[in-house]
Amino acid sequence: MIEAGILGTGSYLPDVVVTNQDMSGIVETSDEWITTRTGISERRLSSGEPTWFMGAVAARRAIAASGVDPKSIGLVLATTGTPDYFFPSLACIVQAEVGADDAFAFDVGAACSGFVYAYDIASKYIASGAVKYVLIVSAENISKLTNYADRSTCILFGDGAGAVVVGPGRGGVHSSYLRSDGKGGDVLVCRALPISHPFLDGTGRNPEGWDSGFQDRFPDLDDNYIRMDGQEVYKFAVRAVVESTQAVCAEAGIAVSEVDHFVMHQANMRILEAAARRLGVGMDRFVVHIGEMGNASSASIPICLDNMARDGRMKPGDKAVLAGFGAGLTYGAMLVTL
Ligand code: COA
């Protein structure tokens, strides 16, 4: 076991609560449709808080809960698909905010799987002896990329942040399993800024063109909003969390039935229920907060961990599988002792 246990957690959710009823005021939908298909009743949306602010509050709370001196944090990892700045990175902004002055800091770009990817990186830096403590902060203002005229996506997402400090002294990591499927990435896409400069003549020199191929699925991909093939993402998500969970359990020699908590990316209640059925475990072992926060992308798993810490489920010695999936496509899981 790598001694990279969860020493402290923190989270931040904006105050603005948007109910399904509120959603039905802006797009043609209903509380019944949304709850039946997704399990979501309400979500939190930023009232202007930038991503770095939410991340810094969550990070300060996690550091306080861990009792670790910020100056002994050797690495700050941040995950976000919705930063405030192209640079500096979210990790560097949070580093300055929390006073982790002896750390190096960088962002991990793995969409909704970001937290699991970052935790895996953290555990490997700790195992190598290069650093002792790592701060992981996941913060998202996914509302910035949401088209509130598109009922098939706008009802799903919410904003928020979660953070953990990992290191020696409590629990640790038994196994991890990370995978990406870049060839399947066209089912969940959000475009960044286009190329634009005064010398752009549009002639190009590449006979193949520069089309990513994403336009084949989404011909109208010309703004900065989320495009999603919901059914394809749904199928991928269930397959991904089941495969990753089974893989980490097999590698650690621990039966899936021995895992106390399944802390999975909160995208859709139906995905969690389908995963539970396929894994043969009861929903009582799943941590579920999708109903009140929607899909907060990479922040969803650390927010769940913080909720567990606050409601007493973060019991030392318990085993938990953390499993994420998202755009990329990216997915993966970690088996940890809390
Ligand atoms: N309210 C009412 N009707 C809606 C709606 C809404 N908010 N959104 C879509 N619909 C309609 C569609 O227009 C469609 O109508 P049509 O049959 O007349 O064309 C119908 O409902 C069915 O749409 P469909 O997309 O097949 O629904 P679905 O059962 O697949 O549910 C999702 C849609 C998005 C809830 C579901 O596919 C999903 O959760 N996928 C995974 C998404 C995800 O997790 N993404 C993040 C990954 S990190």
Side-chain angles (χ1 to χ4, degrees):
M1 184 173 80
I2 301 174
E3 282 202 59
I6 297 167
L7 306 180
T9 63
S11 64
Y12 175 90
L13 290 178
D15 286 338
V16 176
V17 177
V18 176
T19 64
N20 292 347
Q21 189 66 33
D22 296 329
M23 280 291 166
S24 66
I26 60 165
V27 286
E28 201 182 325
T29 190
S30 64
D31 178 47
E32 199 265 334
W33 194 97
I34 301 172
T35 45
T36 314
R37 307 277 180 126
T38 71
I40 298 167
S41 302
E42 58 189 40
R43 69 289 291 146
R44 300 296 186 98
L45 296 188
S46 171
S47 51
E49 298 99 319
T51 306
W52 69 262
F53 174 85
M54 296 197 291
V57 174
R60 272 190 220 105
R61 288 175 179 164
I63 292 169
S66 72
V68 168
D69 177 354
K71 299 213 168 19
S72 56
I73 293 170
L75 171 58
V76 177
L77 294 173
T79 77
T80 186
T82 51
D84 309 295
Y85 302 95
F86 288 124
F87 46 82
S89 64
L90 173 62
C92 285
I93 299 174
V94 172
Q95 175 201 13
E97 286 292 318
V98 302
D101 300 337
D102 288 332
F104 68 109
F106 66 96
D107 288 3
V108 177
C112 299
S113 309
F115 179 79
V116 175
Y117 272 48
Y119 194 171
D120 181 64
I121 294 167
S123 72
K124 280 162 184 158
Y125 267 103
I126 289 168
S128 77
V131 302
K132 188 169 182 190
Y133 299 111
V134 181
L135 168 67
I136 306 171
V137 52
S138 303
E140 303 280 5
N141 262 317
I142 198 101
S143 55
K144 291 199 289 188
L145 307 181
T146 302
N147 179 357
Y148 286 94
D150 174 6
R151 66 178 181 172
S152 68
T153 54
C154 72
I155 50 110
L156 296 173
F157 297 102
D159 300 329
V164 300
V165 175
V166 298
R170 172 188 164 152
V173 175
H174 296 277
S175 54
S176 64
Y177 175 88
L178 301 186
R179 288 291 182 278
S180 307
D181 171 17
K183 288 187 177 151
D186 64 337
V187 296
L188 184 51
V189 179
C190 185
R191 199 175 173 150
L193 294 182
I195 294 161
S196 165
H197 59 72
F199 306 101
L200 194 64
D201 64 10
T203 52
R205 284 188 214 113
N206 180 358
E208 308 285 321
W210 287 287
D211 193 334
S212 58
F214 299 152
Q215 287 83 352
D216 294 346
R217 193 179 289 268
F218 301 112
D220 66 339
L221 189 60
D222 54 6
D223 53 30
N224 311 115
Y225 290 133
I226 297 166
R227 298 293 197 297
M228 184 178 71
D229 182 331
Q231 293 195 0
E232 287 303 318
V233 174
Y234 184 99
K235 284 187 267 178
F236 150 70
V238 176
R239 204 172 55 236
V241 291
V242 171
E243 174 189 320
S244 318
T245 301
Q246 288 170 337
V248 287
C249 289
E251 192 192 327
I254 291 168
V256 173
S257 59
E258 291 174 74
V259 175
D260 302 291
H261 310 282
F262 295 89
V263 190
M264 296 187 171
H265 174 43
Q266 310 279 300
N268 184 327
M269 184 67 179
R270 303 290 158 259
I271 293 173
L272 300 177
E273 288 170 344
R277 270 196 308 277
R278 291 206 198 165
L279 291 167
V281 293
M283 277 307 288
D284 54 323
R285 289 199 230 169
F286 274 63
V287 177
V288 179
H289 289 290
I290 178 84
E292 66 272 16
M293 70 182 198
N295 179 347
S297 190
S298 72
S300 75
I301 293 177
I303 291 172
C304 284
L305 291 171
D306 190 45
N307 284 339
M308 289 174 72
R310 282 185 288 118
D311 68 19
R313 275 180 295 171
M314 184 77 85
K315 292 205 198 77
D318 274 10
K319 293 201 169 35
V321 165
L322 318 180
F325 58 87
L329 297 165
T330 55
Y331 60 106
M334 304 190 67
L335 177 59
V336 300
T337 288
L338 298 176

